[in-house]
Amino acid sequence: MPDAFIRKSEADSHSGGSGTSRPKVGVALGAGAARGWAHIGALRELTAIGVSPDIVVGSSIGAVVGGCYAAGRLDTLESFARSLNRRRVFGLLDVSFAGGGLIGGDRLRCRLEESIGALRIEDLPIRYAGVATEIGTGHEIWLKRGPLVEAMRASYALPGVFEPVRVAGRWLFDGAIVNPVPVSVARALGADRVIALNVAVEGSGRGTAIQDAPDPDEAPIEPPPAVEEAGTGVIGALRRGAGLLRGPWTSEGPAAPGLAAVMVNAFNITQDRIMRSRLAGDPPEVLVTAKVGKIGLFEFHRADELIALGREAVRKARDEIAEHVELAPGKD
């Protein structure tokens, strides 16, 4: 087994906190693409109320924010996120027609390397792991050694959008496919108390089974919820710039949803179902959910709103957090 990663089945066992003066605190940062900027605000507020995590893990954008936090680069990431507008976001994209995704990812890799350099995960002051998925096998891969930037890139490589990343001979992509909010990873790395940070869009978690579809000749009891508007973010920019994706962008009206609407909503639904299943089997001590409304997966230019929503979510959960985690004087 190459030392760049470890499979779930070969994870570290932990001692349950024996020999330490206090239980170890882990933070699990969930997936959500642009919505994950809310994690920046959540981590800021955790610091403000006196939570100092011993372990930070993440999937997708959660791996990016968590890695920057563990590396002491959260200020840099926040400044970058707040500086983005639609034009700057589009300027970071290198459209690819030859690889396994619409975006090659070299420009983003260069920006991460400028900020983080050659830092290795095993040298970070806080224990860290990013979650990725192996193409072909579907293995859940825990990236807990090796270059930090490489782990981040593998964890956020959204299928069909970013090209997969080769790590130690394996092709990896987005960890949200198998473990959107990796509480299990935090526990396996030694956390006795886990705070999970999740982002939720309007209408998420409401899916159910309809055993008898309505008569097609009858009007529906209520209109279906609108499909996420994808034309205002990165995918919209790609559509306008390269003509790759065509509307319509919502399910409203008689026309069938366009490719981007189908991709975005399939990912939203899949991630929500997997997350609920995983958290039911291994619930955190505290689940903090930042409700981000209708902010799209690719609206990276809305960092100011998202960071504020993350802070507010932790403020609301402060009493619950205090029930499970000893709060020290805050620093922020």
Side-chain angles (χ1 to χ4, degrees):
M1 176 67 63
D3 67 359
F5 56 81
I6 183 169
R7 290 191 197 179
K8 179 181 178 183
S9 61
E10 298 168 342
D12 296 340
S13 61
H14 82 279
S15 62
S18 60
T20 60
S21 59
R22 64 171 178 83
K24 290 185 178 179
V25 177
V27 173
L29 304 174
R35 300 160 183 159
W37 289 149
H39 294 325
I40 297 174
L43 288 170
R44 294 291 194 200
E45 193 61 26
L46 285 175
T47 298
I49 67 174
V51 176
S52 298
D54 304 285
I55 297 156
V56 176
V57 301
S59 282
S60 197
I61 187 68
V64 176
V65 177
C68 289
Y69 178 85
R73 303 290 199 277
L74 193 62
D75 287 347
T76 302
L77 181 66
E78 181 173 351
S79 296
F80 168 74
R82 290 185 185 276
S83 74
L84 293 175
N85 54 35
R86 292 178 183 176
R87 177 170 298 192
R88 287 175 179 168
V89 170
F90 187 65
L92 288 170
L93 307 181
D94 44 344
V95 178
S96 171
F97 296 94
L102 294 175
I103 301 168
D106 286 339
R107 294 178 189 171
L108 285 173
R109 174 183 57 78
C110 289
R111 287 301 299 267
L112 284 171
E113 289 177 344
E114 287 175 9
S115 300
I116 295 172
L119 276 177
R120 296 181 64 84
I121 294 171
E122 55 268 35
D123 297 328
L124 298 175
I126 298 174
R127 194 157 196 202
Y128 166 84
V131 179
T133 305
E134 185 181 14
I135 293 176
T137 65
H139 289 321
E140 178 180 327
I141 306 297
W142 298 356
L143 297 151
K144 44 180 277 186
R145 290 187 290 274
L148 177 58
V149 170
E150 190 175 66
M152 292 177 176
R153 291 183 60 228
S155 189
Y156 72 62
L158 183 66
V161 177
F162 287 100
E163 292 183 355
V165 178
R166 191 170 179 83
V167 178
R170 297 172 184 257
W171 287 104
L172 306 180
F173 63 105
D174 204 319
I177 301 299
V178 290
N179 201 348
V181 185
V183 172
S184 57
V185 182
R187 291 203 192 282
L189 295 189
D192 304 300
R193 304 284 187 270
V194 179
I195 302 170
L197 303 178
N198 177 47
V199 293
V201 295
E202 186 175 300
S204 64
R206 297 193 316 198
T208 187
I210 299 176
Q211 299 183 26
D212 187 13
D215 189 322
D217 294 329
E218 296 179 2
I221 296 175
E222 61 180 23
V227 175
E228 175 184 324
E229 177 62 48
T232 59
V234 171
I235 290 297
L238 286 173
R239 178 173 68 94
R240 291 188 295 272
L244 295 176
L245 303 175
R246 300 183 182 276
W249 297 90
T250 75
S251 62
E252 297 174 345
L259 174 59
V262 171
M263 287 176 58
V264 166
N265 281 267
F267 187 79
N268 283 341
I269 293 167
T270 301
Q271 179 178 312
D272 180 69
R273 295 297 179 92
I274 294 172
M275 180 198 69
R276 285 192 281 164
S277 176
R278 295 296 299 258
L279 294 186
D282 191 0
E285 275 64 40
V286 182
L287 176 62
V288 178
T289 299
K291 297 180 180 180
V292 299
K294 294 184 178 181
I295 294 178
L297 276 175
F298 304 103
E299 294 188 290
F300 287 94
H301 60 284
R302 299 179 70 175
D304 290 349
E305 300 168 67
L306 288 161
I307 291 170
L309 288 169
R311 294 200 76 135
E312 181 61 23
V314 172
R315 287 191 190 107
K316 290 180 177 179
R318 186 188 189 282
D319 291 344
E320 184 181 0
I321 293 170
E323 292 178 8
H324 299 279
V325 177
E326 182 179 349
L327 304 184
K331 301 176 182 178
D332 193 2

